[in-house]
């Protein structure tokens, strides 16, 4: 069975500083990995995905994620965080169903 | 382009009353459809998924049920709501095995 872990419940960062949200996965075969963002009382919005190819994936709103096969990680990054990036972030691994991590709340302080 | 709709957006229901939440997808055919529940603004719990009309897989045994009467329509129901059914219900779709999954705007359910 596949699983996804987000080890941090919350990440606090100052505006303008780099933002990293951690994700590790356990899947059989080739992993297909996703990141989503959720703002209050809204559905999840797709940010980016890794299917194959370059380990560094670029997505929406300046976010990127780095796939690391040896560490089974897929951390989400943004070079310079904005206050508007404050939200709940979910990592997922795909098969017939999408398995999600527990979510990480990001708080960007001005 | 594809869009996904959920209604109602918000619902307040008494304990013991029935429930029907609807989700429809436009602009695609034969999608995989999913119902999730999110409690306390946190983790997502997959409730049901469907790979075709009349095909429903249940992930968690509970007093909820799902149906797919048409290709792009997915309904979540209950005969008698419990307090614990309160939460944010999200519908989602995707086209294939490892394709991107897209979410609807959600329904906030409060059971009193």
């Amino acid at each position: 069975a596949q699983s996804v872990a987000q080890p941090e419940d919350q990440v606090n960062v100052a505006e303008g500083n780099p933002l990293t949200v951690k994700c590790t996965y356990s899947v059989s075969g080739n992993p297909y990995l996703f990141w989503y963002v959720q703002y209050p009382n809204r559905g999840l919005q797709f940010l980016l995905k890794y299917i194959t190819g370059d380990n560094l994936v670029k997505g929406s709103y300046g976010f990127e994620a780095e796939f690391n096969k040896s560490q089974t990680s897929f951390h989400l990054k943004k070079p310079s965080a904005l206050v508007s990036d404050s939200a709940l972030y979910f990592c997922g691994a795909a098969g017939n169903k999408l398995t999600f991590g527990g979510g990480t709340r990001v708080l960007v302080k001005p | 382009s594809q869009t996904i709709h959920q209604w109602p957006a918000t619902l307040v229901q008494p304990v013991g009353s029935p429930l029907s939440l609807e989700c429809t997808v436009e602009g695609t055919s034969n999608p995989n459809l999913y119902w999730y529940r999110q409690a306390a603004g946190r983790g997502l719990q997959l409730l049901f998924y469907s790979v075709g009309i009349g095909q429903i897989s249940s992930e968690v045994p509970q007093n909820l049920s799902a149906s797919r009467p048409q290709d792009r329509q997915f309904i979540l129901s209950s005969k008698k709501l419990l307090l614990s059914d309160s939460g944010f219900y999200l519908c989602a779709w995707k086209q294939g095995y490892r394709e991107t999954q897209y979410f609807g705007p959600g329904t906030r359910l409060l059971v009193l």
Side-chain angles (χ1 to χ4, degrees), chain A residues 36-93:
Chain A
Y36 289 82
V37 60
Q38 184 183 30
Y39 297 99
N41 296 312
R42 306 288 289 274
L44 276 67
Q45 296 178 28
F46 169 71
L47 281 178
L48 51 81
K49 67 181 177 183
Y50 172 82
I51 302 296
T52 187
D54 289 342
N55 290 341
L56 186 63
V57 179
K58 294 189 181 296
S60 307
Y61 313 119
F63 283 95
E64 57 190 27
E66 186 171 7
F67 171 68
N68 188 316
K69 188 173 183 178
S70 62
Q71 298 185 6
T72 62
S73 67
F74 189 55
H75 300 332
L76 182 70
K77 300 181 180 182
K78 187 170 184 179
S80 179
L82 302 172
V83 172
S84 57
D85 293 328
S86 298
L88 188 57
Y89 291 80
F90 289 97
C91 181

Side-chain angles (χ1 to χ4, degrees), chain B residues 15-16 37-40 45 47 62-64 80-89 109-112:
Chain B
V15 169
R37 177 169 58 201
Q38 186 177 32
Q45 180 185 35
L47 301 175
Q62 55 205 314
N63 70 319
L64 298 172
K80 288 186 177 182
L81 283 168
L82 307 173
L83 288 173
S84 57
D85 291 324
S86 294
F88 193 49
Y89 289 81
L109 172 65
L110 180 59
V111 182
L112 299 175

Side-chain angles (χ1 to χ4, degrees), chain B residues 6-24:
Chain B
Q6 286 186 245
W7 62 88
T10 305
L11 191 60
V12 181
Q13 291 286 94
V15 169
S17 64
L19 173 73
S20 181
L21 303 181
E22 189 165 344
C23 170
T24 59

